[in-house]
Amino acid sequence: DIAINIPPRYGKTLLLVHFVAWSLARYPDSNYLYISYSKDLAMEQTTIIRDIITHPVYAKIFILCFYISLWEKAVIIDGICL
């Protein structure tokens, strides 16, 4: 378990977004719960995380593919998800 307790405007959101994206590459079977005071803020941040982990550069760096649909199959050629 991890709890981030830092004053406002010190980069908690940025830290968390990039930590989750990094840790999903290192530990793909992990589960995360993003809790916020606002549904819109939580949706915005989790969309950013999804955009990061589905970006071609991310796939090339970590040689991984994440797909939104369970029916899609990952094909990796030279570290690029196809």
Side-chain angles (χ1 to χ4, degrees), residues 22-81:
W22 171 83
S23 61
L24 282 171
R26 301 285 295 179
Y27 310 100
D29 59 339
S30 298
N31 294 306
Y32 294 91
L33 182 62
Y34 195 105
I35 300 172
S36 175
Y37 70 90
S38 162
K39 177 185 174 186
D40 293 336
L41 181 61
M43 291 291 290
E44 179 182 337
Q45 300 310 317
T46 54
T47 299
I48 292 170
I49 295 167
R50 186 196 63 211
D51 292 345
I52 291 171
I53 67 174
T54 57
H55 196 278
V57 173
Y58 180 91
K60 189 168 186 165
I61 291 170
F62 292 110
I63 311 175
L64 290 172
C65 292
F66 289 97
Y67 289 96
I68 304 306
S69 171
L70 296 175
W71 294 277
E72 294 182 69
K73 293 186 179 180
V75 177
I76 303 172
I77 298 174
D78 294 329
I80 299 173
C81 294

